[in-house]
Amino acid sequence: MIRDITLGQYFPGNSVIHRLDPRIKIIWTFFYIVLLFFVNNFWGFLVYVVFTAIIIRLTKIKPKLIFRGLRPVLFLLLFTVIVNVFMTGGGDVLFKFGFLTVTTEGLKFAGLMAMRLILLVTGTSILTFTTSPIMLTDGIERLLSPLAKIGVPAHAIAMMMTIAIRFIPTILDETDKIMKAQKARGADFESGNIIKRAKAMTPILIPLFISAFRRADELATAMECRCYHGGEGRTRFKQLKIRKLDIISLLFAPLLLAAVVATKYIF
Amino acid sequence: MIELRNVSFIYSDDGPFETKALNDISLKIEDNGFYGLIGHTGSGKTTLVQLIAGLVKPSSGEILIDGVNIAEKKFKMRDMPQRIGLVFQYPEYQLFEETVFDDVAFGPRNMGCDEAEVRRRVTEALQTVGIKEKYYKASPFELSGGQKRRVAIAGTISMEPPVLILDEPAAGLDPHGRESILQKITKLQKDRKITVILVSHSMEDIARTAEKVIVLNKGKLEMLGTTREVFAKGERLSEMGLSIPEISRVVLGLRERGINIREDVLTVDEAAEEILKLAAEKGLIK
């Protein structure tokens, strides 16, 4: 169960996509998401699927690994499809089952919604799969830096994100260990109703919280010992630079936009 | 008795990270024995003890506990023929109850003991690890590090398992705490006639306590023999990146210099005796 979580997972590599500047990748991802919500017909989705497939191919990561990121949202996906199938009116009625009606429009809409969700998750996971957490937060910090002038703590936000992402695997490991330890003491997480199961989580959650606080405290001390005092005057070892590759990648954005807009008018 | 037959364990993250933690391990652990389990970091010690405790299932092979194969897919922990107590590394991080008493009672209560029985077990377990009665109602989080460790170990002892596995029970404790925990475990093993498997990096601790030693190297069973037999193979152990007890190194050094001292000496006292005997033979002392 715990192993399914791929959030923040990074697959090291040296593909074109890996080498892109994180800022460009973040902007691209935003553009990808926003544009995705304008797509509302089959041909538009076809353009998107082809585009996403090409990007996945370019990352040189096994597609299987990328689609594994869909597992945690499977329930949401099913839920969306079912709700949309039954709740959307219009079109020809295919069949009636009590108060539930399935129409052609409903099926079509559910299909589009499912497509949209799958593309959304796949597209955004490409960002985290190909960008190391450090690069990602560096990118976010740089993108937010203009806002620092109006008082947005860009550096603090980025630092908190870096730390949070960094500790996801650590905490998962710890959860696994504590679960096993309590199991060895006869704890039962699998049987009983929801309330009983929720109560059975206490022996996991309390030690987990305690160690999270302890770790945070130790980390804060360790950072202070190394003279950390926020972002002011801090220089970096790796400077972000926009290169030719990044500019070229941006040229594809209007192309995608044009293709999507075209599908709206042509078909 | 615990018997492992051709047990392998693969961490399959079905990605680029597949690693073989254990490779074709076959061994027998006799009842009432005191076993030491040693091996370099990443040699598979922790995986091995988790397999024996039934917390994870092997990728292949059989694990027989009193003849029942717990490696089978259908097998449920609840049907374990006899409980195997496993104390994890740094067990104090698993404390969660409001009082010391309740935390130690967690195991027995899960086993379905009635309150009188729970009380007896908890009191006995806490006495075994040397926690005084005035702490029973204290919060486990108020205790010192060494006390927390002992309470956590009591949490497993209170289940009265016939097999007790301890993963580095003395790690991170001061010499005094170390000594006291090891003594208590040794005493418990003798008094209750249980099987103990002690996982440790400290060869001194193993040499002092264990009767038999299991050596793992890169997921494979390298040696299984009496403590004397194993530590007599100092060279082989060094090759695996394991140290041998300091006194064994002294003995090895003496032998290299042509002094014919017995090579399976384990403790400082034994070594002193042997050296004195040799010296007397040579007429150096009377």
Side-chain angles (χ1 to χ4, degrees):
Chain A
M1 166 188 103
I2 280 169
R3 303 258 167 246
D4 279 352
I5 299 170
T6 48
L7 181 72
Q9 190 164 13
Y10 165 60
F11 296 107
N14 197 26
S15 72
V16 186
I17 306 292
H18 281 87
R19 288 202 307 268
L20 280 180
D21 188 284
R23 285 170 290 178
I24 301 294
K25 273 191 271 192
I26 294 167
I27 293 170
W28 247 114
T29 309
F30 268 101
F31 177 70
Y32 178 94
I33 294 168
V34 171
L35 192 60
L36 183 56
F37 282 91
F38 285 103
V39 178
N40 62 353
N41 61 43
F42 173 77
W43 297 103
F45 277 112
L46 192 67
V47 169
Y48 246 81
V49 168
V50 171
F51 176 74
T52 312
I54 293 171
I55 299 291
I56 291 177
R57 180 97 198 132
L58 284 175
T59 61
K60 289 183 181 149
I61 297 171
K62 282 188 206 141
K64 197 175 96 186
L65 291 176
I66 292 181
F67 291 120
R68 208 170 53 167
L70 283 171
R71 244 189 286 180
V73 291
L74 207 62
F75 173 75
L76 183 71
L77 198 63
L78 275 175
F79 184 77
T80 316
V81 168
I82 290 167
V83 166
N84 276 299
V85 164
F86 291 119
M87 298 303 168
T88 317
D92 302 326
V93 175
L94 285 176
F95 60 83
K96 262 191 155 157
F97 189 78
F99 64 97
L100 298 168
T101 325
V102 178
T103 65
T104 47
E105 270 306 296
L107 275 184
K108 204 176 133 196
F109 198 70
L112 293 186
M113 279 307 277
M115 236 14 247
R116 192 170 282 166
L117 258 175
I118 292 171
L119 284 167
L120 195 67
V121 175
T122 321
T124 45
S125 54
I126 290 172
L127 173 69
T128 51
F129 284 166
T130 62
T131 320
S132 72
I134 303 274
M135 290 296 263
L136 198 61
T137 43
D138 260 13
I140 292 170
E141 184 177 352
R142 288 294 297 274
L143 284 173
L144 285 178
S145 61
L147 296 176
K149 292 201 176 66
I150 57 163
V152 176
H155 174 78
I157 292 173
M159 182 54 86
M160 280 192 290
M161 282 183 60
T162 315
I163 293 171
I165 292 173
R166 154 69 184 78
F167 278 100
I168 289 173
T170 315
I171 304 259
L172 282 182
D173 264 5
E174 188 140 332
T175 314
D176 190 52
K177 220 163 74 189
I178 294 172
M179 267 177 98
K180 277 183 183 154
Q182 307 295 29
K183 250 190 206 165
R185 291 169 75 192
D188 185 2
F189 307 119
E190 271 120 36
S191 58
N193 56 26
I194 288 188
I195 295 170
K196 212 178 149 198
R197 276 198 221 185
K199 272 191 182 153
M201 297 309 271
T202 330
I204 303 172
L205 289 178
I206 291 178
L208 209 55
F209 267 104
I210 289 171
S211 80
F213 280 119
R214 182 175 42 83
R215 210 183 303 253
D217 196 42
E218 279 168 8
L219 183 67
T221 314
M223 283 167 80
E224 269 173 14
C225 287
R226 288 191 272 168
C227 302
Y228 177 77
H229 57 90
E232 217 169 308
R234 200 159 177 244
T235 54
R236 2 194 115 255
F237 176 55
K238 273 188 182 165
Q239 293 285 347
L240 294 179
K241 262 198 207 99
I242 300 281
R243 286 166 305 170
K244 218 190 254 167
L245 186 69
D246 302 306
I247 309 286
I248 294 170
S249 88
L250 282 182
L251 294 179
F252 284 95
L255 228 60
L256 183 67
L257 179 69
V260 167
V261 171
T263 59
K264 273 198 165 176
Y265 291 101
I266 296 170
F267 301 103
Chain B
M1 193 176 72
I2 301 168
E3 189 181 351
L4 273 71
R5 287 187 189 154
N6 311 97
V7 171
S8 294
F9 187 83
I10 299 165
Y11 277 107
S12 54
D13 256 336
D14 61 17
F17 314 113
E18 188 180 292
T19 43
K20 229 177 191 169
L22 287 176
N23 192 356
D24 198 25
I25 303 247
S26 298
L27 57 87
K28 274 184 196 169
I29 291 168
E30 314 272 350
D31 285 343
N32 309 338
F34 198 127
Y35 286 79
L37 175 56
I38 57 175
H40 205 258
T41 311
S43 60
K45 293 175 302 216
T46 303
T47 311
L48 183 67
V49 295
Q50 288 188 2
L51 280 168
I52 295 174
L55 291 172
V56 287
K57 301 234 185 240
S59 311
S60 64
E62 293 179 335
I63 301 170
L64 303 168
I65 294 178
D66 293 338
V68 180
N69 184 9
I70 65 160
E72 247 177 76
K73 286 269 173 296
K74 280 175 279 175
F75 185 82
K76 286 260 157 38
M77 277 269 279
R78 265 165 266 152
D79 312 327
M80 204 78 144
Q82 51 172 0
R83 284 225 159 251
I84 296 202
L86 173 57
V87 179
F88 275 71
Q89 246 178 68
Y90 301 104
E92 58 271 31
Y93 294 153
Q94 294 135 33
L95 299 171
F96 70 98
E97 276 285 6
E98 280 170 48
T99 67
V100 168
F101 186 94
D102 284 335
D103 207 285
V104 178
F106 182 67
R109 279 183 187 145
N110 282 330
M111 290 167 79
C113 298
D114 59 56
E115 273 311 298
E117 175 71 3
V118 168
R119 176 154 290 278
R120 181 191 68 77
R121 284 172 176 240
V122 172
T123 319
E124 264 187 45
L126 284 170
Q127 269 165 7
T128 308
V129 297
I131 294 288
K132 294 197 187 83
E133 208 171 333
K134 64 173 176 185
Y135 293 118
Y136 287 12
K137 292 284 161 226
S139 159
F141 303 108
E142 290 164 1
L143 305 177
S144 74
Q147 284 171 326
K148 275 187 200 166
R149 175 78 54 91
R150 280 184 280 156
V151 169
I153 293 175
T156 301
I157 293 176
S158 64
M159 297 172 78
E160 302 189 347
V163 180
L164 182 63
I165 307 174
L166 300 114
D167 195 350
E168 295 277 6
L173 293 183
D174 57 69
H176 178 74
R178 221 184 156 81
E179 190 60 45
S180 122
I181 282 206
L182 289 174
Q183 263 174 17
K184 277 161 188 143
I185 294 164
T186 316
K187 188 167 178 300
L188 180 77
Q189 193 263 338
K190 294 225 159 61
D191 293 352
R192 295 235 183 115
K193 295 201 168 46
I194 58 171
T195 310
V196 167
I197 303 174
L198 179 72
V199 183
S200 181
H201 268 112
S202 159
M203 300 303 141
E204 277 78 20
D205 290 352
I206 297 275
R208 251 183 326 184
T209 55
E211 294 157 359
K212 285 190 174 173
V213 178
I214 303 165
V215 187
L216 287 184
N217 185 28
K218 290 178 187 151
K220 283 195 168 163
L221 179 69
E222 187 74 36
M223 292 181 215
L224 168 56
T226 63
T227 312
R228 279 180 206 287
E229 282 166 12
V230 169
F231 283 130
K233 291 171 189 152
E235 240 170 84
R236 184 74 198 94
L237 289 173
S238 309
E239 273 169 36
M240 288 185 277
L242 292 171
S243 64
I244 51 175
E246 272 167 10
I247 195 65
S248 304
R249 242 177 298 165
V250 171
V251 170
L252 216 68
L254 286 173
R255 286 178 64 86
E256 270 169 19
R257 284 163 183 77
I259 297 166
N260 199 17
I261 187 168
R262 246 176 59 204
E263 63 179 345
D264 57 354
V265 169
L266 280 180
T267 60
V268 178
D269 292 342
E270 255 178 46
E273 211 174 284
E274 285 297 314
I275 291 171
L276 284 176
K277 214 180 351 175
L278 278 175
E281 271 171 30
K282 295 209 167 148
L284 294 172
I285 50 168
K286 276 172 199 151

